[in-house]
Amino acid sequence: MKNRDILFDDSLSLLRSMIKTPSFSREEEGTAAVIEAFMRDVGIVPRRAGNNVFAFAEDYDPTRPTVLLNSHHDTVKPNAGYTRDPFSPDIEDGTLFGLGSNDAGASVVSLLAAFREFHDNRNLRFNLCIALTAEEEVSGKGGIESLLPLLGNIELAVVGEPTGMNPAIAERGLMVVDCTCRGTGGHAARKEGDNAIYKALEGIDRIRRHRFDRTSPYLGDTMMTVTVINAGTQHNVIPAECRYTVDVRMTESYTHEELLELIGDMCGGEAVARSMRLRPSHISESHPFVSYAVSKGLTPFGSPTLSDQALIPAPSVKIGPGDSARSHSADEYIRLEEIRHAIDTYIDLIGHYILKQTPAL
């Protein structure tokens, strides 16, 4: 076993270095270099793909499935309400301030500490991989999605995000649908044409009133919200086209394809999805990782916020230090005790799985 105080001290030092280094989505070269250098310093052989840094534990066997530890080192840009320097990792009264401290730097360094604990263990029943990735905040294709072909068969992913170290076992997916209703143009004074706005309004009302039959036990109902509408060129011309956008936050109860077909039937025109990449996720409470977490007093819940879980085609659990409410907020922070607790909890949960669980694949 590694010395927990050393793991904590190293984790805090790494997190402070990350906060000092701007790492906006698609501009994460600096933090990728910081993480890569840290791994080398502690005896891990890192690999780099774009701004993603990943490594496997030493006892690698290509015939075994992988347990993936994943979090992201990109950040949003600082909230306009900041009263502190977002790139100054100040510690006051046991609290570390700085952009990305909560979302998701604390998860990055705590997962890396857990990986170090098992990095040279020869009794693992799985290949253990850590992937600290880019572009999560923009769901970019250069992040975790680009790494998946290099990681082998993933049996379980532990995704680090601020959850108060309780396991999120369900997460909403996202689909943005652009609807186009077409009519016929004409002069407003002569009641000519077929007004596309009226067609769109009928479709929007059907979407607003729709109630779903299937409900998720952890996430509730799928949600559809019209968020953008555009039509018309001038006051005296009947619009021949009206476009509007529907933001869809689905649960595991429906597929993207089912919802797109439904919106197409209701919208009064044509419905086109911008992407079907961001899938909802769900893992059973009876899954060994989750059931062990529950036995340790942790509480499973459903998360409304999107993460890289949506892009990982394997059972996954979202769990990490901090509070989602602090993410993207002004004067973001993480408590030092939260990092220490996360390291201990990750080592317990991950260790129990990779040392005792029999691979299913």
Side-chain angles (χ1 to χ4, degrees):
M1 291 182 61
K2 307 294 189 297
N3 184 292
R4 298 291 175 89
D5 289 334
I6 292 175
L7 288 178
F8 171 77
D9 290 343
D10 288 351
S11 297
L12 181 57
S13 177
L14 173 59
L15 182 52
R16 297 186 79 183
S17 295
M18 290 170 58
I19 291 169
K20 291 177 184 177
T21 309
S23 55
F24 306 137
S25 298
R26 299 193 175 98
E27 301 174 15
E28 311 97 341
E29 298 89 347
T31 46
V34 167
I35 293 167
E36 189 176 13
F38 176 87
M39 284 187 176
R40 293 191 192 280
D41 287 345
V42 296
I44 298 169
V45 179
R47 297 168 65 182
R48 178 90 174 257
N51 291 329
N52 306 296
V53 185
F54 66 108
F56 284 91
E58 291 178 355
D59 189 23
Y60 180 83
D61 180 347
T63 67
R64 295 187 310 200
T66 295
V67 170
L68 172 65
L69 312 182
N70 167 245
S71 191
H72 66 95
H73 60 95
D74 64 315
T75 73
V76 297
K77 293 189 176 179
N79 185 302
Y82 261 87
T83 64
R84 316 175 68 97
D85 180 351
F87 304 109
S88 181
D90 303 321
I91 297 175
E92 297 177 7
D93 298 324
T95 299
L96 172 63
F97 293 89
L99 181 65
S101 56
N102 178 79
D103 183 20
S107 292
V108 166
V109 300
S110 300
L111 278 173
L112 186 50
F115 180 80
R116 290 176 64 189
E117 175 73 17
F118 304 109
H119 174 245
D120 56 0
N121 192 307
R122 298 291 172 177
N123 298 310
L124 306 185
R125 297 187 175 188
F126 300 83
N127 293 319
L128 183 63
C129 176
I130 187 159
L132 305 175
T133 52
E135 299 188 14
E136 188 273 347
E137 296 289 2
V138 293
S139 300
K141 293 186 177 182
I144 184 62
E145 191 174 30
S146 68
L147 280 188
L148 292 174
L150 305 176
L151 305 183
N153 294 318
I154 301 171
E155 181 163 311
L156 174 69
V158 179
V159 178
E161 291 280 352
T163 69
M165 289 310 292
N166 284 305
I169 64 171
E171 179 185 272
R172 289 188 183 274
L174 169 66
M175 180 171 61
V176 179
V177 179
D178 292 312
C179 300
T180 304
C181 296
R182 293 184 174 87
T184 305
H187 198 297
R190 293 194 293 267
K191 295 186 178 180
E192 294 174 341
D194 181 13
N195 196 321
I197 290 178
Y198 295 157
K199 289 185 176 182
L201 288 175
E202 292 173 356
I204 290 170
D205 190 55
R206 284 190 287 269
I207 291 170
R208 181 177 69 88
R209 292 176 180 274
H210 184 78
R211 296 296 178 266
F212 290 96
D213 296 328
R214 293 174 239 158
T215 299
S216 165
Y218 278 95
L219 297 170
D221 291 331
T222 291
M223 300 184 297
M224 299 189 297
T225 308
V226 175
T227 54
V228 179
I229 185 167
N230 289 288
T233 57
Q234 59 190 62
H235 76 89
N236 59 352
V237 177
I238 299 296
E241 184 175 276
C242 181
R243 297 176 178 270
Y244 62 94
T245 299
V246 187
D247 178 289
V248 186
R249 306 286 170 151
M250 71 280 295
T251 73
E252 76 282 2
S253 301
Y254 291 90
T255 67
H256 283 62
E257 291 79 7
E258 287 177 306
L259 293 170
L260 181 61
E261 181 179 2
L262 176 66
I263 293 171
D265 291 341
M266 291 192 298
C267 73
E270 178 186 19
V272 178
R274 296 182 187 178
S275 169
M276 292 189 179
R277 295 168 57 235
L278 303 176
R279 302 273 172 171
S281 64
H282 175 262
I283 189 170
S284 172
E285 277 194 69
S286 64
H287 187 281
F289 186 95
V290 179
S291 61
Y292 182 68
V294 171
S295 77
K296 304 298 284 188
L298 304 182
T299 304
F301 71 102
S303 172
T305 58
L306 200 65
S307 76
D308 275 340
Q309 274 189 296
L311 298 170
I312 299 174
S316 60
V317 177
K318 181 165 69 176
I319 181 171
D323 185 338
S324 181
R326 301 177 204 156
S327 300
H328 308 177
S329 65
D331 299 337
E332 184 179 348
Y333 67 90
I334 190 78
R335 294 187 178 91
L336 303 189
E337 186 53 40
E338 291 175 308
I339 298 174
R340 190 181 293 274
H341 174 64
I343 293 171
D344 291 340
T345 303
Y346 277 145
I347 288 173
D348 183 15
L349 299 182
I350 295 164
H352 184 269
Y353 194 86
I354 62 178
L355 294 171
K356 298 183 179 180
Q357 181 65 29
T358 299
L361 294 178

